Amino acid sequence: MGSDNGSRSPLRPEEEVIDPSLRDESVLGRALLHALRNAGVSVLFQDNELRTVWARNMAAPWMQGSQGDTILPPSQTARIIAAREDTIATGNAHRFEINAPGEDGLRWFEIWVDPDHDEQGDIRGVMTTKVETTDRKRREQSLRALLREVSHRSKNLLAIIQSIASQTGRHSDNISDFLTSFQGRLQSLAASQDLVTSSNWRGAELRELINGQLGHNIAYADSELIFEGSNPYLNPNAALHIGLAMHELVVNSLSYGALSHPGSRITVRSRMEQPEELADAPALHLSWVEQLDEGSVLPPHRDFRRVTLERVVPAALSGQASLELVDNRLEYHLVVPAANFESTGDESTATP
């Protein structure tokens, strides 16, 4: 019975009807039987002594015992029998859910127990209707789990946005400056979020994330970015925060670095390194290197861009970061622990 009804061979009438005198060979009777089978509905009629009189679409193992409920644990069988006895004694109908162990987890059933009256209104038997609801239950459970996950991730995303708004406002000279910076950071966050969502919340590949941040800010040529090394699959939290770091580096490069000079290049290197204290958990070492304009200096330690790169992003990933300027060459190094990515990904050769 139930959701896998179509996978069984059709039952023969003699397997279903206990009392041959009640067999209905009319067109309507056959049509109703087909409807019950197609809907996964099983019907059992018993007299006042709970002796089975007839059944429809009651496949084994439901019909293996006198009560036709042997698929169930004893406690569930007792519950159905008690409901039938009460219906015969009082005329009250019952409706409830039961479950039973199956090969691939619990099977769920909805049960109706109704009295059957004769022409004088006396109870002459009890009708039990059973419908398997396993598929519906599993869909409901999956939906609840998805809603909990969406709620959790939405709260995390709102917390990130709130932090960005607060920090951007703190380091903006006026409302125009705030709106420009805040809008850019929100768009960066949205670009990373799109990658995460399109992967069914798995995350994003590192290289895809970096390309997305570059493409989000400018129409850049492939020759402006050299990517070397591993391409790990970042989890959602890592994708969002590393995306923010890449955004800040891109915006800085557009003003003072390689992206402000056609033909200049940015080199991004990604490698896996085994920390001595965690021999079985390689960490991702990510570096961004580019040449800045002559006389460039690092922003103050309290600057939002630097706070994001050196404090916010590594703290969110339980990692470490540094931002250095050596001979007008900007170097950003980020160490990302293994908990932030699923795999080491494919090795990528230099892409000029």
Side-chain angles (χ1 to χ4, degrees):
M1 68 168 280
S3 59
D4 59 349
N5 188 59
S7 63
R8 281 195 303 270
S9 57
L11 298 176
R12 296 189 298 273
E14 60 269 21
E15 292 179 322
E16 296 190 291
V17 181
I18 307 303
D19 186 344
S21 66
L22 296 175
R23 185 174 300 156
D24 187 353
E25 297 294 347
S26 67
V27 174
L28 178 60
R30 292 196 300 272
L32 288 174
L33 181 56
H34 280 296
L36 289 175
R37 287 173 177 167
N38 292 338
V41 178
S42 303
V43 183
L44 176 70
F45 178 69
Q46 297 166 298
D47 63 18
N48 286 342
E49 301 299 324
L50 293 185
R51 293 176 297 219
T52 298
V53 178
W54 60 265
R56 289 292 188 274
N57 199 32
M58 292 290 290
W62 288 99
M63 291 303 298
Q64 289 180 348
S66 61
Q67 292 294 335
D69 302 317
T70 54
I71 188 178
L72 303 175
S75 60
Q76 301 281 34
T77 299
R79 184 180 181 188
I80 295 178
I81 295 174
R84 290 167 177 161
E85 291 174 342
D86 181 74
T87 295
I88 292 173
T90 66
N92 294 328
H94 294 267
R95 179 180 179 179
F96 50 91
E97 280 189 328
I98 59 174
N99 60 67
E103 293 181 358
D104 56 348
L106 283 179
R107 294 175 64 184
W108 289 86
F109 302 88
E110 195 159 1
I111 308 296
W112 289 264
V113 179
D114 299 287
D116 182 60
H117 300 273
D118 59 19
E119 293 180 356
Q120 287 72 40
D122 297 325
I123 296 175
R124 63 181 179 183
V126 61
M127 192 86 66
T128 304
T129 306
K130 309 175 184 182
V131 179
E132 183 162 6
T133 58
T134 302
D135 287 346
R136 188 188 73 194
K137 276 286 185 180
R138 289 176 179 172
R139 287 193 297 269
E140 291 173 352
Q141 291 168 354
S142 297
L143 180 59
R144 284 195 294 269
L146 178 61
L147 290 175
R148 286 195 298 269
E149 182 70 12
V150 169
S151 175
H152 172 72
R153 296 192 183 279
S154 297
K155 290 176 182 177
N156 288 346
L157 193 59
L158 288 173
I160 294 173
I161 293 172
Q162 184 179 28
S163 175
I164 291 173
S166 175
Q167 292 291 337
T168 303
R170 190 175 303 167
H171 296 91
S172 298
D173 295 329
N174 51 59
I175 189 65
S176 177
D177 183 33
F178 167 80
L179 290 176
T180 299
S181 300
F182 185 59
Q183 183 181 32
R185 285 158 185 153
L186 279 187
Q187 289 174 345
S188 164
L189 198 62
S192 299
Q193 183 67 25
D194 284 344
L195 292 177
V196 171
T197 304
S198 65
S199 70
N200 290 324
W201 299 94
R202 275 189 62 212
E205 288 185 341
L206 174 61
R207 181 168 184 172
E208 184 182 24
L209 182 71
I210 295 172
N211 285 337
Q213 290 300 323
L214 278 166
H216 160 70
N217 284 277
I218 55 169
Y220 77 102
D222 290 340
S223 61
E224 294 176 307
L225 174 68
I226 299 175
F227 185 97
E228 299 175 342
S230 301
N231 187 28
Y233 205 98
L234 307 170
N235 68 25
N237 181 62
L240 293 180
H241 284 89
I242 293 178
L244 284 175
M246 294 300 105
H247 169 76
E248 299 302 332
L249 289 168
V250 168
V251 171
N252 185 75
S253 182
L254 284 168
S255 300
Y256 312 107
L259 296 179
S260 64
H261 301 289
S264 299
R265 291 180 178 177
I266 298 168
T267 302
V268 177
R269 293 187 176 92
S270 169
R271 74 180 192 279
M272 295 296 164
E273 189 170 298
Q274 215 83 13
E276 295 181 1
E277 66 276 12
L278 296 172
D280 59 343
L284 167 66
H285 287 244
L286 180 65
S287 66
W288 169 293
V289 180
E290 65 174 316
Q291 198 71 27
L292 299 188
D293 294 338
E294 187 71 28
S296 296
V297 296
L298 289 177
H301 285 282
R302 295 173 61 87
D303 180 82
F304 177 81
R305 190 164 297 146
R306 190 163 181 181
V307 168
T308 299
L309 293 169
E310 292 186 310
R311 292 166 52 188
V312 175
V313 171
L317 305 177
S318 300
Q320 298 175 331
S322 65
L323 185 66
E324 301 174 342
L325 186 62
V326 181
D327 296 330
N328 292 321
R329 187 177 68 249
L330 179 71
E331 296 186 5
Y332 178 64
H333 300 277
L334 177 64
V335 179
V336 182
N340 294 284
F341 51 87
E342 289 186 5
S343 66
T344 57
D346 299 327
E347 288 291 321
S348 297
T349 57
T351 307

